[in-house]
Every structure is written in C-alpha cells, then in structure tokens.
Amino acid sequence: LGPRLGGNMLYADKNALRTQLKVQMLRIREKELMYYTNNCLSISTSAALLAGFAWYGLTEVPFEEQADAMTQTLYLVVTTLIMGLELLTVVNATLCAILGPGLALRGPDGSMHTAVNGMMTHYKFTLMCFATGLICFMLSALLYGWMQFSWTLALPMTVLICYFLYKIFNYFIRIYRRFRLAPDCVVTGAFNADGASDGPRSAAEMAEERALQEQYANLPESVKASMGVAGSSAS
C-alpha cells in the first residue's frame, strides 16, 4: 500500500498545482474582462441618452412651412443617423457586457481567452459608432437652427456649434495622445506560445517568451487553453 499511496499523493499534488495555475491565469484575464465590460456599460448608457434625444427630434420637433426643403431633409437624415448609430452602440455594448462574461464563466476551457479577445474587437467598433453619432448630434443641432430660425439667429448658433466641435476634437486628440498606449507596449493576460503579438517585440521579450514556452511545454492542454496559449503543441 505504501507505493500506491505515495503515487496517489503525487497525483493529487499535481492536480492541485494544475488547478492553482489555472485559477491564477483566469484571475489575470478576468481583469481585462471586467475592464471591457465596465466600458461597454458606460458607453451604452450615454448612447441610449443620445438615441432618446434623436427620437424626440424626429417625432416631436415642429417644422416651419417656410423652411428650406433641403435643410429639412438633411436634418431628418442626420438625426436618423444619430438614432441608428447610437442604438447600434447600445445593442453591441449590451450584448458584449452580457454574453462576454457569460461565455467566460460558463464556457469550456479557453473560453475566457475567447471572450476577452471578442470583447476587445467589438469594443473598438462600438466606440467608433458612439463617436460618429456624437458628431452627428452636433450637426443635427446646427441644421435645426437653420431650419427653424432666420439667418441672423442661426449664424451665431452655427459659430458656437463649430467652436465646440473644434474643442471636442482638440480635447479628444490631447487626451488620446496623453493616454495612448503603443501597440508594441500592450500587455495582455494571454501567453502566445506561437510567437504572435500585437506588435514588434525586443530581443529580451522574445527570449522571455521562449523561456515561458519551455516552462509551460509539459502542461496539460486544459491548462494551456485556460492560459490562452496557442500553438504550444506544435513545438
């Protein structure tokens, strides 16, 4: 019984080590998952507010009979674009915030890695739709001024809207440059054993990556999938 008991203990210790490693790697990727989830929820709230404003502008705003037909058409088109873009933002952000964590929580091994990468891709598209809808919102206000008021009132309104559009763009560029993260400096919770990365890497980083590949080469496939390791069996 002695050798058999010792073998069972070693087997249990190995399983405990594998489980501990999986849990630690999942905790790292969970931080990325929560980052994208919280961002999607924040964007969806603001987008829903803008979509409501656009719906009011389509259904409740009265039209002057003497207004130019081209201006009215442009106003309706731009306002409809606002509603469509912001509703698309709400749908994308809400689905990502619901289905992404659901896949990571209840999916098979490797689902956390798949969920984070999917949310990263859809988050970029969602943010682009939200920003485009915000620009259209300002243009809709400009067209409303020329549609409802005389040029003496619409002209100063146009100047102010153009000024704030410029300030929004200026602050966006300034904040983006301040917090911009270069693609070759991005750190994720996945271990890419096939050598792929988001950008060029230094020789030291590549040497560290090869050391990690050798370290995790003998791990079970279930542990490798949870770590986001790709192509490790090919070596």
Side-chain angles (χ1 to χ4, degrees), residues 162-177:
C162 291
Y163 170 77
F164 281 108
L165 272 175
Y166 167 76
K167 296 300 292 184
I168 289 173
F169 178 77
N170 189 24
Y171 276 104
F172 172 80
I173 296 299
R174 180 186 302 179
I175 295 174
Y176 176 76
R177 289 177 177 175

Side-chain angles (χ1 to χ4, degrees), residues 21-22 25 29 113 189-191 216 219 222-229:
L21 181 59
K22 288 177 63 176
M25 296 307 304
R29 296 243 77 182
H113 180 70
F191 286 83
Y216 297 130
L219 290 177
S222 59
V223 179
K224 295 177 183 177
S226 298
M227 294 169 60
V229 174

Side-chain angles (χ1 to χ4, degrees), residues 19-98:
T19 304
Q20 183 180 6
L21 181 59
K22 288 177 63 176
V23 171
Q24 290 176 352
M25 296 307 304
L26 288 175
R27 285 176 179 172
I28 295 175
R29 296 243 77 182
E30 184 184 12
K31 295 180 180 180
E32 293 182 273
L33 183 71
M34 294 306 300
Y35 166 77
Y36 288 111
T37 301
N38 293 333
N39 285 351
C40 286
L41 292 175
S42 299
I43 291 178
S44 64
T45 301
S46 301
L49 181 64
L50 292 178
F53 289 154
W55 172 256
Y56 180 86
L58 288 175
T59 59
E60 300 296 333
V61 172
F63 290 91
E64 292 289 339
E65 296 181 358
Q66 295 81 12
D68 182 63
M70 180 60 68
T71 305
Q72 291 182 346
T73 303
L74 289 176
Y75 171 80
L76 292 175
V77 169
V78 172
T79 307
T80 304
L81 278 176
I82 299 171
M83 187 175 64
L85 289 170
E86 299 304 335
L87 286 179
L88 182 59
T89 301
V90 171
V91 171
N92 284 349
T94 304
L95 288 179
C96 285
I98 294 175

